[in-house]
Amino acid sequence: MDINLGGIVIIVGNYGSGKTEVAVNLSVHQRLAGKEVRIGDLDLVNPYFRTREARKPLADLGIDVVLPPKQYMHADLPILTPEIAGMIRRPSELTLLDAGGDDVGATVLSALTDHLKGKTPHVLQVVNPFRPFTESIEGCLKIRSEIEAASRLLVTGIVGNANLIDDTTAQDIENGAEFVRDLAEKSGLPLVFITAEKSLMPKIDKERIPCPILTIDRQLVPPWKKAGRFSP
Amino acid sequence: MGKKILMKGNEAIGEAAIRAGCLNYFAYPITPQSEVAEYLVKRMPEVGGVFVQGESEVAVGYMIFGASGAGARVFTTSSSPGVSLMSEAISYIAGAQCPAVFVNIIRGGPGLGGILPSQGDYFQATKGGGHGDYHMLVMAPASVQEAVEMVMLAFPLAEKYRNPVMILGDGLIGQMMEPVEFPDDLRTEPTNKDSWATSGMKSRGSTERNLVKSLYLDPTQLNDHNLNLKAKYDQMKAEEVRYEPYNTDGDYKILIVSFGTMSRVCRTAIDFLKEEGIEVGMIRPQTVFPFPDAPIRDAAVKESCKAVISIEMNMGQMVEDVERCLKGQRPVHWYGKCGGDVPTPEEIMEVIKERL
């Protein structure tokens, strides 16, 4: 089972669900599979730990990272660079848009409605059941409908991102996979993939995982830790 | 302890206050601490609590004063410029001897500065901010888990001393995500609130009026009042000093003093240097007022130790406290940055090597 996504992929989810880490690692995974990849940072609500933190390793792999102008990189201002509209009008093989958290962060997508007209974007909801407000299926469904209302888009698939950062165990991943499988069933949406940090991969019982697994090399780390190195 | 969940520092601070039994939260949004309000606006109604957004931090400071004077457990969160605006109220609250908890998730300064992490409010937190002879009890967490524990401890300490307590975190403490566990709910009431709360003589079965005030026009009375306050700060110095030593068992040549998330960068640098065969010790103040004078002095005067470096995300503030407690017994150096780029472990290793 491998992940194969094309066209416009929009990553949404509740605040702190891990959208950026998923978007960054997904862009690398698809780039290493030979695709032409562009990623746009639409996170207008989070002041730290954004896609822009990983711009160098992504650029080194030939991934085009679209960010607000440099002088506004550390501003807490809702700046949507006009290049994003261009990305949508002329998508590359894979165009990834990393939105901000919750309905508030997804509101920016409604400004792109006109540009998205006639396109069929994948809108993936990232879920981490270890986060507050998405510990239950009801919580995830509530956030989904809030995001759909704010973004004027429909969620088309679920991504499982169960983790407790460094404290994650293989069992957490397996239980998390069961949680998102149930969520996908309840919501009538496909479970597109789940994630697991590289070091956990050998320990995971693959029989219990009903979908592809995206390997995570953690990029959004505090200053005393080293970001993971991407390798084919 | 409950099960582990993954939380941003700001969210965890909000949840910790609820678990400590604080159901009154007044605040005004400012980066990088707005997530506390965003979290509590959802959570407070679930637990029967209250969140009111004030029209400014000046108003919020006095809303806190009012609620505390009435005997309610109350707290606020803000970031540097907002705390400056609250500082007048903090002085009044300390003067009127009311308990309250203030959280400062520091951003770069002075003025509007920037939104990235900083420790530039060390002086403001430990030496005043507002006017007059007062101190807050100030705790500086280095992890999200520790922020939770300190917030939960802050309320009983504020009540024990009838004095404002501050949690001093840099922007990273508010913004980073870490797994946390919450201790079982305390949900207690302040046990000594009859001594200050304007709850009505009848309701507390007393014939004494409680007066919430900081005005003492009589010079003798004002002096006595300040002596009472001083006695409380002296008691804090005797009973509330908290600190964590790191790698201080061996024969280190350099001792680092560092607090908050900066100390975690230093910890990594110390681990890397150990692999190179260089021993470096560290004392991490967990309370910055009261300051761990004696533990730092004892660690610095160890025979192997040749120098002390205070490493902070500011232009050299805590270093003055380190110099004060060492009284010239060892050379004291400072290293820091305050633009928002947190020094890397490699940078700290270089700084240490230059002093070997």
Side-chain angles (χ1 to χ4, degrees), chain A residues 15-17 45-50 74-76 102 128-133 135 163-165 167 222-224 226, chain B residues 3-8 11 31-32 35 39 42 115-117 171-172 175-177 179 261 264-265 268 342 345-346:
Chain A
Y15 196 69
S17 54
V45 294
N46 214 18
Y48 304 179
F49 299 112
R50 297 173 287 195
H74 295 295
D76 49 348
D102 287 353
N128 179 357
F130 291 105
R131 287 279 298 148
F133 307 117
E135 294 155 304
N163 79 91
L164 286 162
I165 309 188
D167 290 6
W224 52 90
K226 287 263 174 287
Chain B
K3 72 174 176 103
K4 259 186 208 171
I5 59 168
L6 188 61
M7 283 184 115
K8 253 194 178 207
E11 299 169 329
T31 308
E35 295 84 0
Y39 181 80
K42 291 182 190 164
I115 64 166
L116 293 175
L172 271 176
Q175 292 297 324
M176 69 183 177
M177 284 224 223
T261 60
R264 291 181 72 174
V265 179
T268 304
V342 179
E346 288 74 16

Side-chain angles (χ1 to χ4, degrees), chain A residues 105-116 148-153:
Chain A
T107 304
V108 60
L109 294 167
S110 68
L112 300 169
T113 310
D114 285 348
H115 303 291
L116 285 164
E148 287 182 335
S151 66
R152 296 198 258 166
L153 292 166

Side-chain angles (χ1 to χ4, degrees), chain A residues 5 14 33-34 62 84 95 101 111 117 123 126 129 150 178 183 190 194 198 208-209 220:
Chain A
L5 285 162
N14 79 308
I84 299 286
T95 296
K117 208 167 271 171
V123 181
V126 177
E178 267 162 37
L183 171 65
I194 66 156
K198 196 187 269 170
R208 289 185 63 190
I209 311 296
L220 305 178

